[in-house]
Amino acid sequence: MKKRLLAIIDTASLTPLIILAVLLGLSPFYPEPHLTEKLRMLFQGTLTRPLDIFDLLMHAAPIVLLALKLWRMRWRQQQTTRSM
């Protein structure tokens, strides 16, 4: 399962992940992005409602996927450099 998930992340295109991370990470643009609001609630200890927790996960997921994709790209590049 882990290898299959990593294979999907490896084959995912970087551009849609960047667009998705920016749009979901910053939406709604006014008055305040949900991600900022939910992270503030998390650090204040007021993130208790299931809907708020789901909202945090939904808005943070594309950013986590993008970070994982970038980490995998760097890791693969280091692996090919070491094998040379």
Side-chain angles (χ1 to χ4, degrees), residues 9-67:
I9 290 171
D10 288 339
T11 58
S13 180
L14 195 57
T15 305
L17 276 177
I18 292 171
I19 292 170
L20 193 62
V22 169
L23 287 178
L24 267 180
L26 296 177
S27 67
F29 298 104
Y30 180 81
E32 176 182 39
H34 277 318
L35 190 56
T36 306
E37 176 188 4
K38 301 309 176 192
L39 285 174
R40 186 175 352 94
M41 289 172 67
L42 178 66
F43 291 122
Q44 291 174 348
T46 59
L47 187 71
T48 56
R49 292 179 25 204
L51 182 62
D52 291 332
I53 296 168
F54 172 76
D55 211 17
L56 172 65
L57 294 175
M58 184 186 72
H59 285 277
I63 297 169
V64 171
L65 286 175
L66 177 62

Side-chain angles (χ1 to χ4, degrees), residues 1-9:
M1 179 70 179
K2 180 182 172 182
K3 287 187 177 192
R4 186 173 180 194
L5 179 61
L6 291 176
I8 291 170
I9 290 171

Side-chain angles (χ1 to χ4, degrees), residues 63-74:
I63 297 169
V64 171
L65 286 175
L66 177 62
L68 185 57
K69 170 75 175 176
L70 293 173
W71 176 76
R72 290 283 295 173
M73 288 172 62
R74 182 172 170 88

